[in-house]
């Protein structure tokens, strides 16, 4: 049930991508406003993750989880019933806001419910496998429903699932309401500056398609975001008595390393789904349905590879496993970078997907486990939120930067009178190559931040990666 909730939150980021043409026709979106079907969700989801994680730590994760699912389900119903572009944009934003309170709770509750050792490792393995494939499943589902019954079923399908999750949570999740004394000193300033700064950053990234990176508008938004987040860090470190994000968490280099790796992986993976979708639809001219089906090998093999990661950690430790997974992922992306304008499904989609899914499947769960290692239980909600946020914000930045690089390459070739299809394909090749380079950087970061046995000492403290996770005992 917790894995299903995390899956729904993640899947709704990509599920509408393939169905955007049908949504545009159905509700009369303009081409420039269509992106907000995705961006409205992304901005509020990314901006409120930290707040959602901290609220759960303070008032009870079960309570926040249930009310978050209720709000997400209601917003999904609103999206399915939307009769105008403006209504759908608003309800998509509300879905993202609700999801920001649900997603951190899933991992934090798992961490608290299952004891250390094999039970927790198995729970994390299931959670990691399901959430790791959510992006690809979203594209498949979007193709099936968007090209079949109706795009509205992309949202209606959430309703019975949401009702089931609420009933299951009331029955199976233990009540973890903290003592009242823990809620009296809520960090209002931290909440406002943290969510505001991250939301503004997400908004600045989301609008680069219409306002390029060097434009005055985008530069101003990025500077404002940096200033707000800069003050947020100062406030959390020196002023707040009960900080929204205890910066002491980053003294544990396991947490630091997991979040760095998460951000880099997000950069590469978000861009990969975007580039692969464009290649199939605009270069190979696949339908929405066929495009969705093209992601099935990636999805299936991610699920198969995910349980392997913790087993490899048992034998080799966290450091080499995450680094090796990143290298294999880079190899898969390098194969994607060899796509051709007259390519086909087997060599240009399936083969690279197989290699990429093996690599990413191996590293995803160890990365997630490391994000909570050595973290006190009362801070597990915000720690979970951080690793979700770094993956999400990193993915948003990576997607915007890589898509810009790909577009610049395509436009350059078009200006030199190259054929349109070859120009687009060349731009996508460059995008995949940059994503491959990011995964190489991920491997280097893993080698630099994790110890050989998988444990990472906390700077100036006695925290370390629990032996049960670090060496699999």
């Amino acid at each position: 049930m917790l894995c299903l909730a995390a899956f729904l939150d993640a899947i709704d980021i990509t599920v509408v991508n393939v169905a955007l043409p049908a949504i545009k026709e159905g509700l009369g979106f303009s081409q420039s406003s269509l992106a907000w079907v995705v961006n409205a969700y992304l901005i509020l989801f990314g901006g409120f993750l930290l707040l959602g994680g901290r609220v759960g730590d303070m008032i009870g994760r079960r309570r926040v989880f249930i009310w978050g699912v209720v709000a997400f389900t209601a917003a999904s119903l609103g999206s399915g019933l939307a009769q105008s572009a403006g209504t759908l944009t608003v309800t998509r934003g509300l879905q993202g806001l609700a999801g920001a309170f649900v997603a951190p709770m899933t991992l934090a509750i798992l961490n608290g419910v299952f004891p250390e050792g094999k039970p927790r490792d198995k729970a994390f393995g299931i959670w990691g496998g399901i959430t790791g494939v959510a992006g690809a499943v979203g594209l498949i589902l979007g193709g099936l429903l968007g090209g079949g019954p109706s795009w509205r079923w992309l949202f209606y399908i959430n309703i019975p699932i949401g009702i089931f999750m609420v009933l299951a949570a009331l029955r199976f999740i233990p009540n973890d309401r903290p003592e009242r004394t823990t809620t009296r000193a809520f960090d209002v300033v931290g909440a406002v500056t943290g969510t505001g700064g991250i939301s503004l950053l997400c908004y600045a990234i989301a609008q680069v398609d219409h306002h390029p990176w060097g434009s005055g508008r985008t530069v101003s938004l990025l500077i404002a975001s940096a200033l707000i987040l800069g003050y947020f860090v100062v406030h959390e470190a020196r002023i707040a008595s009960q900080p929204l994000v205890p910066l002491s968490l980053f003294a544990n280099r396991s947490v630091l390393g997991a979040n760095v790796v998460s951000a880099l992986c997000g950069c590469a993976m978000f861009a990969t789904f975007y580039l692969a979708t464009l290649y199939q639809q605009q270069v190979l001219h696949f339908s929405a349905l066929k495009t969705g089906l093209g992601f099935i090998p990636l999805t299936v093999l991610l699920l198969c590879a995910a349980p392997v990661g913790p087993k490899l950690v048992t034998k080799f430790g966290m450091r080499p496993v995450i680094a090796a997974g990143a290298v294999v992922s880079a190899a898969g992306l390098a194969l994607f970078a060899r796509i051709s304008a007259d390519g086909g499904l087997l060599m240009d989609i399936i083969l690279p997907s197989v290699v990429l899914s093996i690599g990413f499947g191996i590293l995803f769960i160890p990365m997630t486990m490391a994000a909570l290692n050595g973290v006190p239980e009362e801070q597990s909600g915000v720690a979970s939120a951080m690793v979700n946020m770094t993956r999400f914000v990193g993915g948003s930045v990576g997607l915007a930067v890589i898509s810009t690089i790909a577009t610049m390459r395509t436009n350059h070739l078009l200006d030199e009178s190259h054929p349109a299809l070859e120009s687009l394909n060349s731009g996508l090749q460059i995008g995949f190559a940059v994503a491959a380079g990011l995964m190489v950087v991920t491997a280097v970061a893993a080698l630099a931040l994790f110890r050989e046995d998988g444990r990472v000492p906390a700077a100036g403290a006695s925290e370390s990666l629990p032996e049960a996770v670090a060496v699999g005992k």
Side-chain angles (χ1 to χ4, degrees):
M1 176 259 298
L2 293 170
C3 294
L4 182 60
F7 178 79
L8 277 184
D9 287 338
I11 201 175
D12 265 62
I13 296 174
T14 60
V15 72
V16 299
N17 286 7
V18 179
L20 284 176
I23 294 173
K24 178 184 177 183
E25 181 179 350
L27 294 182
F29 274 92
S30 66
Q31 187 62 42
S32 60
S33 65
L34 185 61
W36 286 98
V37 177
V38 178
N39 292 341
Y41 187 98
L42 295 180
I43 291 171
L44 290 176
F45 183 78
F48 282 81
L49 273 169
L50 286 179
L51 179 61
R54 188 57 174 158
V55 168
D57 287 339
M58 298 189 72
I59 71 172
R61 300 179 191 103
R62 178 177 181 262
R63 181 194 297 181
V64 171
F65 175 83
I66 290 172
W67 283 109
V69 172
V70 169
F72 185 88
T73 304
S76 297
L77 176 61
S79 294
L81 295 174
Q83 298 299 313
S84 69
T87 301
L88 182 60
T89 301
V90 170
T91 55
R92 282 287 290 165
L94 293 175
Q95 278 187 289
L97 178 62
F101 285 81
V102 174
M105 296 306 98
T106 60
L107 190 56
I109 292 172
L110 283 177
N111 191 59
V113 169
F114 290 91
E116 272 189 16
K118 289 184 178 180
R120 187 181 295 176
D121 291 355
K122 184 177 181 180
F124 276 21
I126 297 171
W127 183 94
I130 291 176
T131 56
V133 303
V137 172
L139 295 170
I140 295 171
L141 190 61
L144 291 173
L145 296 179
S150 169
W151 60 266
R152 295 182 184 275
W153 282 98
L154 298 174
F155 307 112
Y156 289 150
I157 198 173
N158 293 340
I159 297 169
I161 297 174
I163 293 171
F164 163 77
M165 288 192 295
V166 170
L167 295 175
L170 290 170
R171 173 68 176 84
F172 295 109
I173 298 178
N175 194 351
D176 62 342
R177 184 179 301 181
E179 296 293 332
R180 288 188 179 184
T181 53
T182 63
T183 67
R184 289 178 180 171
F186 183 71
D187 182 14
V188 175
V189 174
V192 172
T193 55
T195 57
I198 296 168
S199 296
L200 191 60
L201 174 62
C202 293
Y203 175 72
I205 295 166
Q207 52 89 65
V208 294
D209 284 346
H210 306 293
H211 302 278
W213 288 102
S215 68
R217 177 188 174 94
T218 298
V219 171
S220 297
L221 289 172
L222 291 174
I223 291 174
S225 172
L227 290 174
I228 294 171
L229 291 174
Y231 176 78
F232 169 73
V233 172
V234 172
H235 177 81
E236 298 299 281
R238 299 183 178 275
I239 300 173
S241 59
Q242 293 285 333
L244 180 74
V245 180
L247 298 184
S248 59
L249 285 173
F250 291 103
N252 182 336
R253 288 181 59 191
S254 176
V255 174
L256 175 63
N259 280 274
V260 170
V261 169
S262 176
L264 291 168
C265 286
C267 284
M269 294 305 295
F270 273 50
T272 296
F273 291 140
Y274 172 78
L275 297 171
T277 301
L278 284 185
Y279 176 66
Q280 291 181 78
Q281 290 192 318
Q282 296 187 13
V283 177
L284 300 182
H285 302 296
F286 287 179
S287 65
L289 177 59
K290 191 173 181 179
T291 299
L293 295 176
F295 286 99
I296 288 179
L298 177 64
T299 306
V300 172
L301 284 168
L302 270 173
L303 280 171
C304 294
V308 176
K311 295 178 181 178
L312 293 176
V313 169
T314 299
K315 294 184 178 181
F316 304 108
M318 195 76 71
R319 180 177 186 244
V321 170
I322 293 178
V327 169
V328 175
S329 299
L333 289 166
L335 289 174
F336 265 122
R338 299 175 66 248
I339 56 174
S340 63
D342 58 350
L345 181 63
L346 178 62
M347 298 304 296
D348 294 275
I349 300 297
I350 294 179
L351 177 61
S353 293
V354 168
V355 180
L356 175 63
S357 59
I358 292 172
F360 189 69
I362 287 172
L363 72 85
F364 185 76
I365 296 175
M367 173 191 76
T368 304
M369 293 161 67
L372 291 174
N373 287 329
V375 175
E377 184 177 347
E378 64 273 13
Q379 295 177 352
S380 61
V382 74
S384 171
M386 283 195 303
V387 74
N388 277 284
M389 186 202 69
T390 52
R391 178 161 53 99
F392 170 81
V393 175
S396 299
V397 173
L399 174 57
V401 171
I402 290 174
S403 64
T404 299
I405 293 172
T407 299
M408 290 174 60
R409 172 63 176 173
T410 297
N411 291 340
H412 174 72
L413 293 177
L414 289 173
D415 290 342
E416 294 186 347
S417 300
H418 287 266
L421 202 61
E422 292 182 7
S423 299
L424 175 59
N425 186 78
S426 181
L428 297 176
Q429 286 179 321
I430 294 295
F432 282 123
V434 173
L438 284 171
M439 292 310 299
V440 173
V441 174
T442 302
V444 174
L447 293 173
L449 293 172
F450 293 95
R451 280 194 354 204
E452 291 215 10
D453 62 357
R455 293 172 297 176
V456 185
S462 61
E463 295 172 339
S464 64
L465 198 64
E467 188 177 4
V469 174
V471 295
K473 294 183 180 178

